[in-house]
Amino acid sequence: MRFRIEQRTEPSASMRVAAPVVATVLTLLVGSAMFAVLGYDPLSTLQAFFIAPLNSMNGLSELLLKASPLILIGCGLAVGFRANVWNIGAEGQLIIGAIAACGVGLFYPDPESPLLLPLMVLAGACAGMLWAAIPAFLRARMNTNEILVTLMLTYIATLFLSWLVHGPWRDPAGFNYPQTALLPAAAMFEPFDYSYRLNPSIFITGVAVLVMWLFTDRSFLGYKMSVGGAAPLAARYAGFRESAAVWTGLLAGGAAAGIAGMAELSGPLGQLSPQISPGYGFAAIIVAFIGRLNAFGIVLGGLLMSLLFLGGETVQLTLGLSSSLTRVFQGILLFFLLAADFFIFYRIRLIPEHA
């Protein structure tokens, strides 16, 4: 007896929608078993991880605050993913966007100008796009693998950030900490309520969700990119240029990540440091697939992933567990999501040896 993997002729549309729910449930079950093995009561630990963070107004505001960059980046990445353009370097594009925005905020001649915040948004978007343009050029002209290039550029961006905050941009009044000076007030998003950190940058994410939906579901270019991802040969026969999809997908992801970096800088942080992101660029990849590369599905995926970040912080404070549990849950969730997708598009058949 042997096994053979066969592609399904008609993948189930209902199962594609249900796959994120199934993957989430399986993640919770595996998480419960993991907590039990570690000697913790699974129910109370899951309650601390997934319910306790939402028991206060501060928890709800933090949920939206952390979900905002995840949703924003996820929408940008999904544009490329629909065309099989795999931007894995959103974390680096976020960092570069934050660096560019910080440069404008710190060195703009008029620190009280009302133009400062819009200029920082523009700088973040342009920097993210320029960083994403490197793998776009290499893929379109030299047929390099954008997965490797975008990933390697993330390490370069991280090291460049470290050099800046340890060197030329380090705050001389910062007690030797690797961080820049605080941004001026005109370069900050003012919170809705000073008791919480939630700020108007969430409206940028709301606009991004609407723009992504209009582009992917209501525009001809979005349709061409989807066709190119689903049936490359048919798209090429119809005259759809692959290079256009590469440039569009990577630049959209870069712009979204760059703006997300700027929003983190001008929102909850207020200055540049090596900890500008807790891994939003990588987590947003999972968010995009949880949302099935659909704008409104990505919103739900972003809220779920934000809850994982919050839950990791909560169990670290209340139970003394490592905050790395957040990444463990992210990995388990991605594993089950990919497994579900595999069985949606393929099946395993048992073949007799004599066949």
Side-chain angles (χ1 to χ4, degrees), residues 259-273:
I259 294 174
M262 176 273 163
E264 283 297 292
L265 176 75
S266 295
L269 300 179
Q271 62 187 158
L272 200 62
S273 72

Side-chain angles (χ1 to χ4, degrees), residues 224-314:
K224 289 199 298 183
M225 293 187 68
S226 297
V227 171
L233 293 178
R236 197 174 298 119
Y237 180 78
F240 298 164
R241 294 174 55 210
E242 182 184 8
S243 61
V246 170
W247 279 100
T248 302
L250 284 167
L251 292 184
I259 294 174
M262 176 273 163
E264 283 297 292
L265 176 75
S266 295
L269 300 179
Q271 62 187 158
L272 200 62
S273 72
Q275 291 76 39
I276 187 68
S277 168
Y280 288 148
F282 293 117
I285 299 171
I286 306 175
V287 168
F289 283 101
I290 292 175
R292 316 312 288 167
L293 307 183
N294 174 273
F296 302 110
I298 289 172
V299 172
L300 298 177
L303 291 171
L304 173 62
M305 194 60 61
S306 174
L307 184 57
L308 290 180
F309 277 105
L310 278 179
E313 295 172 359
T314 302

Side-chain angles (χ1 to χ4, degrees), residues 9 11 24 41 88 103 123 135 139 147 172 207 213 219 244 251 257 267 288 296 308 321 335 345 352:
T9 54
T24 302
D41 177 55
I88 309 299
R139 162 74 188 270
I147 296 176
V207 172
W213 175 73
S219 75
L251 292 184
F296 302 110
L308 290 180
L321 292 173
F335 172 80
F345 291 99

Side-chain angles (χ1 to χ4, degrees), residues 53-66 196 198 303 306 310:
L54 306 180
N55 284 341
S56 66
M57 185 59 68
N58 181 65
L60 292 173
S61 69
E62 287 293 310
L63 178 75
L64 294 176
L65 183 71
K66 293 181 183 297
Y196 314 111
L198 190 63
L303 291 171
S306 174
L310 278 179

Side-chain angles (χ1 to χ4, degrees), residues 29-44:
L29 293 175
V30 171
S32 300
M34 180 178 63
F35 289 135
V37 170
L38 292 173
Y40 293 90
D41 177 55
L43 291 180
S44 62

Side-chain angles (χ1 to χ4, degrees), residues 90-139:
E91 184 77 2
Q93 293 146 25
L94 180 153
I95 291 171
I96 292 296
I99 290 173
C102 184
V104 173
L106 290 178
F107 305 115
Y108 190 70
D110 184 2
E112 298 181 0
S113 171
L115 295 176
L116 189 53
L117 205 54
L119 286 174
M120 290 174 65
V121 174
L122 182 61
C126 290
M129 291 173 69
L130 285 172
W131 204 245
I134 298 172
F137 174 81
L138 294 175
R139 162 74 188 270

